[in-house]
Each structure stands twice: as C-alpha cells, then as structure tokens.
Amino acid sequence: MRRVANTLVVLLMLSTVVVAAESPKSLFKKGQKAEARGDYEGAYDFYRQAYDQKPEELRYRVPYERLRFLAAASKVHRGQKLRDQGKLQDALALFEQAAAIDPSNDLAAQEVRRTQQMIQKQSQPANKPTAKNEEEDPLRQRLEDATPPVMLAPMASVPINALELTEDSKVAYETIGKLANINVLFDPDYTSRRLTLRLKNVSIQDALDIVALESRTFWRPVTANTIFVAQDTQAKRRELEQNVVKTFYLGNVSGPTDLQDIVNAIRTVLEVQRIQQIPSQSAIVIKGTPDQLALAEKMINDIDKAKPEVIVDVVVAQVRRDKLRDLGITPPENASVALQNTSLSGSTNNGTTTSGSSGPTLNFNDLQHLNSTNYAVVIDPAKAVALFSDNDAKLLQTPRIRATDNEKATLKIADKIPIATGSFGTPVGIGTATGAIGVNTQFQYTDVGVILEITPRVHPDGQVTLKTVMEISNLNGSTTIGGITQPIISTRRVEHTIRLNDGEINLLGGINEDQETTTAGGTPFLGQIPLLKYLFSEQKHEKVTNEIVFLLVPHIVRNQELNDLNKKAFDVGTGSGIDLHIAAQQPPRAEGPQVAETAPALQPRVPAERPQPAVSPATNPAAPANPVATNPGANTPTQPSQPAAPSGAAADTPASSGTGPITLRLDPGAVSQKQGSTFSMNVVVAHGQDISAVPLQISYDPKVLQFVSVANGDYLSKDGQTALLVHRDDPVSGKLQVTAQRQPGSGGVNGDGTVFSLVFAAKAKGSGTVAITIPAARNSRNQPLEVLGSQAIVKID
C-alpha cells in the first residue's frame, strides 16, 4: 500500500508540472489570436515563449522574428504618449524594453537618449551649471557655450516728444544713447556729418534709425546695451556686420527639385551668397546676417508646408435590363421524297453476272415494278416556342483615391489584353540558299477595365478643382483580321475639369442606352394573316436598357495651413542690403489700478527718491501749498552708465545749493474749471543751480482729469540749447512720468523758470489733486540734486 501511495504522489507531481508548462502549440494559438486583435506586444510574448520551448521548430521562430519590429514599435508609441503626459520614468522603461526587443530599431535608442536627457535636465537645479566631462570634445563644448546673435535689449515705446538739434551726427547718436541708457561706440574710420533734426513723437528705436539714415551710417549691437556705429558702405558692412550659420531641416519636400526651388528663392530674394543644400538630409545650410537668416527662416516656413490632400470617392453605377419574349408555332417548312429498298437488276458481261453499284439506280424497266414500299417521305417537324426571359444586372464600383495637391493620382483596375500591332517576315536559311519565310507578329498590351486619373487643386476657400480622366473599357468579342484574331474593345471615356465644394456630389457623365429588337419568321402568307399568324409564325421581341452613371465626391483631408506670419509683409531696408526694421516694444503693464512707480527701462535713470507726502492745502486756495522736503539721497542706486564725476565730487552725492533748496511747484496751485474744458498747468522751478535734467513723476485723479499733452518750457533752453522731452502716461492709475533733459555736453541752467507745461481735460465733475509725487533734478555732471515738490487742487463743476 505504501508503494502504491508513493506512485500516486509521483504521478500527481508530474501531472502538475505538465499542466504548469503550457504547450508551445497552445502558446502559438494564443499568439495568433493576439495578433489578429492588433495586440502585437502580447502576441510577441506568446510567440517568444513557444520559441523558447522549441527553438528548432521553424513554425515558431518565423512569427517570433516577424513580430519583433511591431512589438517594439508599439512600445515606442506608448512611451511617447507617456512622455507627452510628463511620465518620463514610465516612458523610459518602455523605450528600454523596445530597444531590448528589437536592437535594430534606432528610434527606440534615440528615444532612450532623449528621455534620459530630459530626466537629467529636470532633476538638475536651474542655477547649477552643467557638469563638464573632462573627456568631452572641446570643440563641441565651445559650440555649446557659444551665444546666439547679439541683440539690443528691448526698447520700450517711450516717445521722444521733441528733439530739435543742429549738431554733429556723433552728438545726435550720443544724445539718443544717453536718453536710452545705452553706450555708443564709433568706428575709427567714422566721418561725422552735421545734421539738422526736428523729431516729434518718435520712439528711441526710430530715432536711431532716422539718424542712421540721415547720416548714411549704420549701427549694430555689440552687447545688450552697446551699439557700434560705422559708415554705411558695402565694405564696412562685410567687415562689421554679424554673421550667423544655421542649418534648416525641411520636413515636407518631396524631392531634390523642391529643395532646389527653395534655395533659388532664398538666394534671389535675400541675396544670400553662402547657401548650400544637402539633399540626403533635406536640409539647407545658410550663412548670413541675423536679419537674412530670420527672413530665410520665414521663407522656409512659408514654403515648407505639407501639401493639401484630397480623397475622391468615385461611384460607377451600371444598370442593365434585358427582356426577351419568343412566341409562335412554326409548321413544317420542308418535305423530301426518297427511294429505298429497290432491287437492282444485274447485267451480264461475257457470261458473268455483276451486281449494280451502290445507290439506287433506276431504268425504265424498273419503273413498272415500283410500289409504296419503295418510297420514303421526310417532313420537318412542327415547332412551338413559348419563351420569356428577363435579365436584370446591377454593377456598382466605388473606388476611392487619395491625391496630393497638383499631383496626378492614377487608379487602374484592368486586365492587359494583347493586340497585334504588326508582323514581319524573316527568311529561313537552308544551306546557302534561301528557303521558306517565317512570320513574326508583334503584340502590344493594352489595359482593359477601369482607369482613373485625377489631378486635384485645393483652393483657399475650401473648393477643389479636379482635372479628371476616366476610362471604362471591356472586351466585346473578337474579329479576325489578316488571319489574326483581334479583340474588340468597347471604351467609355470622360475627360474634363470641374470645381467643386468639399463633399459636393458631381455627375461626371452618364450613358443611357435603350435598344428594342423585333424579329418575325414563319410560313409565307399564312404567317401574315391576323389570328392565323400565331399558328404559322414565330414572334421574337427583345428590349435592352443599359444605363451607366459616373459620380465624383471630393473630400479635403488636409488643407493649406497659413498663419498671420506667413501673410505678413516686412520692411527689409533698401536695395543695398537686408535690414529688418524692429518695432519698439511695449513695456509690461500691470493689471488694475496699481502701476509700477519706476520709470521705463530706457528712460534716463532717476534715483528712487521717496514719494512726496501730501501737503495740506492752505487756508487761501489761491496761495501755493507749502512744499515738503524729501530726502533725494536715500535709496539712490549707482549707475554704471553715468559719466565719471570730477575729482573731489562723488557721483551720487547731492550737490549743495548756496541759495536754498530747489523747488518744483505746480502753477497755478488751485484750478476751477467747467466739465469738458481743457486747461494748462506749469511745472515751475525756483532757486535752480546747474540743472541739466528734470525727471518727475506726477499723479492725478483719473476719475476727474484726463492727461492731454506736455510741452517744453523755456527754462532748460533759455541759452538756445534744445531740450529733449520724453513722457509716459498711464491713464488707468493716473501716473505720468515726464523727463526734460538738455543735450549731452551742455552746461546746466540757473535761476527760475517754467520747465514744461501740462495740459489736462476736465473729464467729470468733482475735486481732485495734481501732485509731484517723485520730484528730482540732475546737474550737468548727472548728479542728483535736492528738490522739493508740491501739489495743486483741481475742482470741476
């Protein structure tokens, strides 16, 4: 009993092992089912397990090797989706699995490297420099450390209210550069010209371009806040202009011809001399100025676009109906009489009796012995026909063809039929003589069936023009010509050009055939008598109706995609060179009523004085309010672009005044106006000493007042020098920044006078204030001065 129990345990263990190890056949079937479902990863796993169990079986190895690519591609596709969702680690795992499944799949290896770089970049702190490999190629490192083309820092659209000067062109550049807080360098070969400029309401960028145009010079950025000025000549441009090299990869060119067309367009329009096409990579390498490369990139983006595509549904419908009616009785039409069973008499020749020849032969002696058994009468049988046939055939062909814009697409569903086109004879040599002539026949194969050629043209309005050629042919019998059997081919061909809307159904062409045939046969005279004709004649009536209709239905699956940049025109300078005109950029603007208190970045830098506290109105409204002193020296940053102060004077030390503090007040101090009227208010300086610039921030009540304009006064230009005036208004918060400045190199102004005049409009009824919230002034050495501000009361009735 114990031996039997042990045997049962062993058998049970063996059966468990057999069940656990699934057979290769079962795994193979599971792989087939998974492949039919489109689950290539699961199918690959099943095929791999079956192959691992029986690697010598070819039936398991072939699908295992075949599914490598599909399984790896499926994992790559899933990994790309996960990476787009930000799941980099999961995506990396799928890419690595795909690379392990199919090592020949370079896309999987590329995605592994790309994802690893993304993970490394994501985990690295933003302020931590990238670790450099000691064995790294120094040239590659040099390229990675190289900077893009130098560009000037964005210039805010701060208008220059008035610029009038008759000076050297260098002075003009330096004046605008000081106003924009940028450095100006000049070429050693630069030749100055005396200019007369009168500019109003122009931006700093436009002012620089106008001076360059007037003085026949050009400037280019050296750093973000430095420009270099030189004479505008071809030699100087080649010597000083920046050059940039960039490789453009084109993704929609279909051949070397398209690539050559783009290269020719760039070379002709942009006058780029150094351009090279790489057909093997569908790439273009260009060397030129930054403006040339920017325009080249625009042209490539304009031209290198996916062509529109159209799917055309073709419907060929044929309906054929054949009705046949055959009725009648045909009596016997032929009768014949024959002799039979005649015994022929023999003849004696020299005592010999000979039998007659085969076939009945009669003589006059036999006629007297003929009876009824010697005659046979043969009469044709009578025929009665009652036949009705009705054949109804429908043929529907719906091929679908997809075509690219302006590219011909051809669809052929046809058989090749041989047709003899000619024959020639060749003599066959017999020894040295010429013998018989052999005949060789030449054949040409022609397509018989459905042949469709469509060339679409997609229009921007969504319509499609189709240049169509449709031919439907079939074999309709044969004929013998010159001893050669030739096929008879019937052809229906339609060729025309139509313009349709997307999805519009068009009847390309139709053929309607209606054929009716009546045939009568029977006994003469009797077959033509009414009523009797049905007993002595046969009537056959056949009616054939055949109708063929061709329909075309276009569907746009990809249209031409154009953005605003593709349709935009650009100012590219003059005919002597490509030079993009960069528009002045708007400074960022805060939302809501609160606006930054600082001046624009490209205005002359103003020390950050503390805001002037509000001043209590005097008892007498007509009297000016008592100004309150501020601390102009507090929080004053050092400006690296300021000129060096003379020895013994600090650049940021407020200059002392021997006659008391400088005062900036609003005149008049109290204003009463009607709603809808306009009025002016002057900013007057008192006790001025060596004043060269007056940058102010003025606040007003935007609910009551509306700023209109600002004009220069006579204070800064009392000695004949022109004063520059720049302003920026924010009507939402009621903050007005105004800067009046004398030309660089001119001395300061002393005494009293009007710096500038403000014009306001009475917007709504109520009371408000106009206050100099940040008063400031600078001397000829660009040092801040101690200044007091004031405010005025405005009442609108």
Side-chain angles (χ1 to χ4, degrees):
M1 291 296 294
R2 182 177 298 176
R3 184 176 300 174
V4 173
N6 292 337
T7 304
L8 291 176
V9 170
V10 171
L11 292 176
L12 181 61
M13 294 177 62
L14 290 176
S15 63
T16 303
V17 172
V18 171
V19 172
E22 194 171 359
S23 65
K25 185 177 181 181
S26 175
L27 293 171
F28 178 74
K29 290 182 177 180
K30 289 183 178 180
Q32 288 180 324
K33 292 180 179 180
E35 184 179 0
R37 293 193 306 267
D39 183 11
Y40 300 117
E41 297 180 36
Y44 172 78
D45 291 337
F46 288 124
Y47 289 148
R48 179 182 54 80
Q49 295 179 37
Y51 171 73
D52 290 342
Q53 293 188 23
K54 287 190 174 182
E56 70 279 0
E57 289 286 342
L58 190 61
R59 59 178 297 194
Y60 299 145
R61 180 178 180 178
V62 170
Y64 162 67
E65 297 291 347
R66 178 171 53 83
L67 263 290
R68 278 180 179 272
F69 172 77
L70 294 177
S74 177
K75 288 185 179 294
V76 169
H77 184 64
R78 288 201 299 125
Q80 290 173 342
K81 289 185 176 180
L82 291 176
R83 186 180 59 196
D84 294 340
Q85 298 173 2
K87 302 177 181 179
L88 300 181
Q89 294 293 344
D90 297 339
L92 179 61
L94 286 176
F95 293 145
E96 291 176 344
Q97 294 175 13
I101 291 175
D102 187 8
S104 63
N105 192 334
D106 292 336
L107 179 60
Q110 292 173 359
E111 296 293 354
V112 168
R113 293 191 295 268
R114 180 182 176 186
T115 308
Q116 288 176 346
Q117 293 175 0
M118 294 176 65
I119 293 175
Q120 182 180 3
K121 185 176 180 180
Q122 193 178 57
S123 60
Q124 186 177 3
N127 56 355
K128 182 179 179 180
T130 305
K132 297 183 179 180
N133 190 354
E134 295 180 355
E135 299 180 357
E136 190 174 2
D137 185 3
L139 297 179
R140 177 182 178 85
Q141 187 61 42
R142 185 176 180 84
L143 289 176
E144 292 180 353
D145 295 340
T147 61
V150 178
M151 297 184 64
L152 205 60
M155 293 187 180
S157 58
V158 181
I160 299 177
N161 190 60
L163 176 59
E164 296 183 5
L165 56 86
T166 302
E167 290 289 347
D168 187 88
S169 56
K170 281 190 175 182
V171 176
Y173 271 117
E174 290 173 348
T175 301
I176 300 174
K178 184 175 181 181
L179 189 62
N181 201 15
I182 60 176
N183 304 315
V184 181
L185 304 178
F186 294 93
D187 184 65
D189 299 331
Y190 179 81
T191 303
S192 298
R193 292 191 178 192
R194 190 167 184 83
L195 305 178
T196 299
L197 297 177
R198 291 181 176 85
L199 305 178
K200 291 185 178 181
N201 295 325
V202 295
S203 66
I204 296 174
Q205 175 81 35
D206 292 338
L208 287 173
D209 293 339
I210 291 172
V211 173
L213 180 63
E214 186 74 14
S215 60
R216 295 184 181 180
T217 58
F218 76 96
W219 58 271
R220 77 170 187 89
V222 179
T223 64
N225 65 338
T226 304
I227 62 174
F228 190 86
V229 183
Q231 294 297 130
D232 191 3
T233 61
Q234 291 292 340
K236 282 297 180 183
R237 283 188 174 271
R238 285 195 300 267
E239 178 183 350
L240 299 176
E241 278 189 331
Q242 299 182 71
N243 275 276
V244 184
V245 176
K246 185 174 180 179
T247 302
F248 298 92
Y249 294 92
L250 287 73
N252 297 293
V253 294
S254 57
T257 304
D258 296 341
L259 196 64
Q260 184 63 45
D261 291 342
I262 296 177
V263 170
N264 292 339
I266 294 175
R267 181 181 288 117
T268 303
V269 176
L270 302 182
E271 299 178 357
V272 177
Q273 301 300 325
R274 299 188 179 182
I275 178 171
Q276 180 64 42
Q277 56 176 322
I278 313 296
S280 61
Q281 297 294 327
S282 296
I284 299 174
V285 182
I286 304 176
K287 178 183 178 183
T289 65
D291 290 347
Q292 286 178 325
L293 262 68
L295 291 172
E297 185 170 3
K298 178 196 179 301
M299 291 184 62
I300 291 174
N301 292 334
D302 294 344
I303 301 173
D304 184 33
K305 290 186 176 293
K307 292 184 178 180
E309 291 190 19
V310 179
I311 287 181
V312 182
D313 291 330
V314 183
V315 180
V316 182
Q318 180 177 3
V319 178
R320 179 184 176 92
R321 190 167 188 179
D322 190 351
K323 288 186 177 181
L324 175 65
R325 185 183 64 189
D326 193 357
L327 296 176
I329 298 175
T330 304
E333 298 179 354
N334 300 309
S336 62
V337 178
L339 295 176
Q340 58 181 5
N341 297 327
T342 57
S343 57
L344 304 178
S345 59
S347 61
T348 305
N349 186 10
N350 297 327
T352 304
T353 302
T354 61
S355 59
S357 60
S358 62
T361 59
L362 296 176
N363 53 35
F364 290 103
N365 190 33
D366 295 332
L367 294 176
Q368 61 181 347
H369 301 290
L370 293 177
N371 53 33
S372 59
T373 60
N374 299 115
Y375 297 95
V377 180
V378 180
I379 302 176
D380 289 345
K383 183 175 64 173
V385 178
L387 178 63
F388 177 76
S389 175
D390 189 355
N391 294 326
D392 193 354
K394 296 180 180 180
L395 177 63
L396 180 64
Q397 296 178 334
T398 57
R400 172 175 289 183
I401 187 169
R402 182 164 180 163
T404 305
D405 188 52
N406 283 333
E407 297 287 342
K408 183 174 72 173
T410 304
L411 174 66
K412 286 185 180 181
I413 306 175
D415 298 327
K416 289 187 176 296
I417 304 298
I419 299 177
T421 58
S423 60
F424 59 92
T426 56
V428 180
I430 302 176
T432 58
T434 301
I437 297 178
V439 178
N440 292 330
T441 303
Q442 295 178 335
F443 290 90
Q444 180 180 357
Y445 288 87
T446 193
D447 294 320
V448 177
V450 179
I451 302 174
L452 177 63
E453 295 180 356
I454 294 180
T455 304
R457 172 72 175 92
V458 180
H459 301 280
D461 58 356
Q463 292 185 333
V464 182
T465 295
L466 299 177
K467 184 178 180 181
T468 308
V469 178
M470 176 180 287
E471 181 179 304
I472 298 179
S473 57
N474 53 20
L475 192 62
N476 196 15
S478 61
T479 183
T480 302
I481 301 175
I484 300 176
T485 302
Q486 296 278 48
I488 299 175
I489 300 174
S490 61
T491 303
R492 298 173 179 87
R493 180 183 176 93
V494 179
E495 180 176 355
H496 65 174
T497 302
I498 54 177
R499 182 163 177 167
L500 304 172
N501 292 320
D502 185 12
E504 181 180 354
I505 299 176
N506 175 71
L507 178 63
L508 183 63
I511 300 176
N512 191 5
E513 298 177 354
D514 197 352
Q515 180 180 359
E516 189 171 354
T517 305
T518 302
T519 304
T523 303
F525 303 109
L526 294 177
Q528 297 174 348
I529 299 175
L531 299 179
L532 293 180
K533 66 180 181 180
Y534 296 108
L535 299 176
F536 294 96
S537 68
E538 178 183 354
Q539 299 285 337
K540 183 177 181 180
H541 183 77
E542 184 178 8
K543 186 175 182 180
V544 179
T545 302
N546 187 19
E547 184 177 4
I548 301 177
V549 176
F550 308 106
L551 298 177
L552 291 181
V553 185
H555 303 282
I556 299 176
V557 294
R558 180 187 295 118
N559 208 338
Q560 189 177 23
E561 186 177 359
L562 300 177
N563 52 39
D564 295 337
L565 189 62
N566 299 137
K567 304 176 183 179
K568 185 178 179 181
F570 293 89
D571 180 5
V572 296
T574 62
S576 60
I578 301 297
D579 187 12
L580 282 175
H581 181 76
I582 308 300
Q585 301 183 9
Q586 293 288 347
R589 184 172 178 176
E591 298 292 337
Q594 300 295 331
V595 181
E597 299 290 336
T598 58
L602 294 180
Q603 283 186 327
R605 296 187 178 179
V606 181
E609 290 91 359
R610 295 179 181 177
Q612 177 71 21
V615 180
S616 302
T619 305
N620 184 4
N626 295 327
V628 180
T630 60
N631 184 8
N635 301 326
T636 303
T638 303
Q639 298 182 2
S641 62
Q642 295 173 356
S647 59
D652 290 329
T653 303
S656 60
S657 176
T659 58
I662 302 172
T663 303
L664 290 173
R665 62 180 177 86
L666 295 171
D667 183 33
V671 177
S672 179
Q673 294 288 330
K674 296 292 185 180
Q675 183 181 0
S677 62
T678 59
F679 62 95
S680 62
M681 186 174 291
N682 298 328
V683 176
V684 180
V685 61
H687 310 296
Q689 292 290 329
D690 192 22
I691 296 180
S692 179
V694 180
L696 300 181
Q697 178 171 292
I698 300 173
S699 63
Y700 61 93
D701 190 350
K703 297 180 180 178
V704 179
L705 300 176
Q706 179 180 355
F707 173 74
V708 177
S709 64
V710 60
N712 253 323
D714 58 355
Y715 180 72
L716 294 178
S717 58
K718 61 173 56 180
D719 58 350
Q721 293 288 342
T722 302
L724 302 179
L725 185 62
V726 180
H727 75 277
R728 176 189 174 194
D729 176 49
D730 190 339
V732 177
S733 60
K735 301 294 184 182
L736 175 63
Q737 295 170 345
V738 184
T739 300
Q741 178 179 324
R742 288 168 60 84
Q743 296 181 16
S746 59
V749 180
N750 302 327
D752 304 339
T754 301
V755 182
F756 41 73
S757 297
L758 307 174
V759 179
F760 292 96
K763 183 178 179 181
K765 294 182 180 181
S767 298
T769 60
V770 178
I772 302 176
T773 54
I774 302 181
R778 291 185 174 274
N779 59 16
S780 58
R781 295 176 296 175
N782 206 23
Q783 293 176 323
L785 302 175
E786 183 180 351
V787 182
L788 303 178
S790 66
Q791 69 175 13
I793 305 298
V794 179
K795 183 178 180 181
I796 307 300
D797 299 329

